[in-house]
Amino acid sequence: MRLLHTSDWHLGRSFHRVSMLDAQAAFLDHLVATVREREVDAVLVAGDVYDRAVPPLAAVALFDQALHRLADAGVPTVMISGNHDSARRLGVGAGLIDRAGIHLRTDPAGCGTPVLLADEHGPVACYGLPYLEPSLVRNEFGTEKAAHETVLAAAMERIRDDLAAREERTRSVVLAHAFVMGGEESDSERDITVGGACAVPSGVFRGVDYVALGHLHGCQTITERIRYSGSPLAYSFSETDHRKTMWLVDLDASGAVTAERIDCPVPRPLARLRGTIEELLDGPELERHEESFVEATLTDVVRPADPMARLTRRFPHILSLVFEPDRAPQDAFASYAQRLRGRSDQQIAEDFVAHVRGGNGPDDGERTVLRAAFEDVRVDAAVREVAR
């Protein structure tokens, strides 16, 4: 069986205020063409279809067109909700859409009921695990602890129980939206927990022939059977070096996996440039980036006059300007953003406590309180967004 694995479309998202809707439409054209040209048997979309819980109408229209085109192609599509999606909104009409071969899996309670596909070698059970917010699904799965690993492990037990009751030759596929240990993050994913506790071990997915992951935006292989497709488009300059692709996965009669990367269209390349303003304006080696989306980091010790206007004359698609003067690492004039770069909310809060106490940071109990507070705020924000 040939599967096309994609995820993290983020329909409706902009890139530094530039609409990506045309680029997203071009990607969907490419996806449908690939389905037809490569004789795909099923499409897997591993979450974050939209960029936010209440997407703009243009994004909804684009999604609607994509569903019609996939249904017209006669190829089953299995799709789950991600942490950016409103599961309830995305799942509206799922029962009716199911009849057209578009299988929306947004309800955690249904994770043990597969979409049943088949080829000449027998059945393939395809299970959809939507994004599981631990605090909201712990009761559904009867777990004592509200943690990503705990609820995901409980959901996988349901899947394994269902699979064990099926005929022996049944192959298995799981779609999941999660942060699996070994995956490499970029700046454009929304943090799904506090303090790194979201990472789950790949062993949670034991006993499954193929796991189609979503959430991380870089295409990557965790194991031969567990893969991220990554986002089809770059959504931050941290993805400048990403090769944006989908996975074309073949499952043979025994469930063995072979996978090929299918490149996605690149609307405009990204470039991260660094140097003084004169170096960026005059450097002949930068000519190849003149039509790219550009993030320029200026290292001038003294901030130059009108830097954006001057750089735009050479790089008309410059979108981001960063100032990082070449100074000593502990320079007191370093910007607030520079001092906080790479630090989590928890670390910043702990540093603040140490600062107001004259160097004495929080003890273990206080760290636990801070962590719980950040977690409560994050979950409350997620609930409010879904309820909008």
Side-chain angles (χ1 to χ4, degrees):
M1 178 165 288
R2 175 161 286 180
L3 309 169
L4 186 63
H5 167 197
T6 177
S7 72
D8 296 274
W9 295 355
H10 289 277
L11 299 181
R13 185 162 184 159
S14 297
F15 183 70
H16 288 266
R17 301 175 302 283
V18 174
S19 172
M20 298 298 286
L21 208 63
D22 287 344
Q24 290 168 340
F27 159 69
L28 292 172
D29 289 343
H30 171 68
L31 183 146
V32 173
T34 301
V35 166
R36 295 181 183 276
E37 293 166 7
R38 300 302 297 268
E39 299 181 336
V40 169
D41 295 307
V43 176
L44 313 177
V45 187
D48 280 355
V49 174
Y50 292 121
D51 188 57
R52 56 182 186 265
V54 185
L57 290 178
V60 176
L62 187 58
F63 178 60
D64 181 62
Q65 293 166 15
L67 294 187
H68 278 84
R69 294 171 70 187
L70 289 168
D72 289 344
V75 175
T77 298
V78 184
M79 185 177 295
I80 62 173
S81 50
N83 61 300
H84 278 249
D85 299 308
S86 165
R88 293 181 64 183
R89 286 189 175 89
L90 188 63
V92 168
L96 289 173
I97 297 173
D98 196 80
R99 301 177 189 177
I102 306 294
H103 308 284
L104 297 174
R105 294 296 182 261
T106 63
D107 183 359
C111 67
T113 303
V115 175
L116 292 175
L117 309 173
D119 61 11
E120 66 271 23
H121 303 300
V124 175
C126 193
Y127 300 89
L129 266 178
Y131 170 66
L132 303 177
E133 174 57 61
S135 297
L136 302 181
V137 302
R138 61 182 299 185
N139 291 335
E140 168 62 36
F141 293 107
T143 62
E144 293 183 9
K145 187 178 180 182
H148 285 265
E149 180 178 353
T150 306
V151 297
L152 196 55
M156 283 301 302
E157 282 304 313
R158 287 193 187 180
I159 289 172
R160 279 187 282 269
D161 288 345
D162 180 85
L163 193 57
R166 297 189 178 276
E167 60 181 276
E168 187 176 351
R169 294 179 58 195
T170 301
R171 290 157 290 165
S172 55
V173 173
V174 169
L175 287 79
H177 197 85
F179 180 15
V180 177
M181 289 180 183
E184 184 177 339
E185 299 174 88
S186 63
D187 292 341
S188 57
E189 300 110 4
R190 178 185 296 165
D191 186 17
I192 58 176
T193 193
V194 174
C198 60
V200 300
S202 60
V204 165
F205 298 104
R206 67 186 183 280
V208 175
D209 291 317
Y210 184 70
V211 180
L213 292 175
H215 179 56
L216 299 185
H217 287 186
C219 180
Q220 47 201 298
T221 300
I222 305 300
T223 72
E224 286 304 305
R225 295 185 181 276
I226 304 175
R227 300 170 187 264
Y228 282 100
S229 67
S231 60
L233 297 167
Y235 291 119
S236 77
F237 280 103
S238 67
E239 300 171 42
T240 297
D241 295 328
H242 285 193
R243 175 187 166 198
K244 295 299 185 181
T245 60
M246 301 178 285
W247 284 112
L248 189 67
V249 177
D250 286 315
L251 273 183
D252 71 10
S254 68
V257 171
T258 57
E260 173 190 352
R261 291 179 72 176
I262 304 295
D263 288 297
C264 296
V266 179
R268 191 178 296 280
L270 307 186
R272 274 183 148 171
L273 310 182
R274 183 183 181 88
T276 66
I277 193 165
E278 297 304 329
E279 289 170 341
L280 299 189
L281 290 174
D282 300 334
E285 73 281 2
L286 302 182
E287 183 177 353
R288 61 193 178 97
H289 298 304
E290 290 177 357
E291 294 304 316
S292 300
F293 283 137
V294 168
E295 177 187 75
T297 298
L298 295 182
T299 60
D300 303 76
V301 175
V302 177
R303 184 173 299 206
D306 300 322
M308 196 64 162
R310 293 164 67 187
L311 288 167
T312 299
R313 286 194 282 271
R314 183 174 191 186
F315 305 106
H317 304 288
I318 185 171
L319 299 178
S320 175
L321 187 59
V322 180
F323 294 96
E324 289 188 3
D326 279 337
R327 297 188 178 115
Q330 301 302 319
D331 194 313
F333 293 100
S335 72
Y336 183 69
Q338 287 174 272
R339 296 198 301 273
L340 297 186
R341 185 169 292 121
R343 304 185 67 74
S344 68
D345 290 341
Q346 178 85 14
Q347 290 171 321
I348 293 168
E350 290 181 13
D351 288 349
F352 175 76
V353 173
H355 173 72
V356 297
R357 286 180 174 172
N360 295 318
D363 59 26
D364 290 344
E366 290 167 331
R367 288 191 182 92
T368 300
V369 170
L370 283 170
R371 189 175 298 110
F374 280 120
E375 180 73 3
D376 287 346
V377 169
R378 185 186 62 79
V379 172
D380 182 66
V383 171
R384 287 174 181 272
E385 184 170 82
V386 170
R388 284 172 58 195

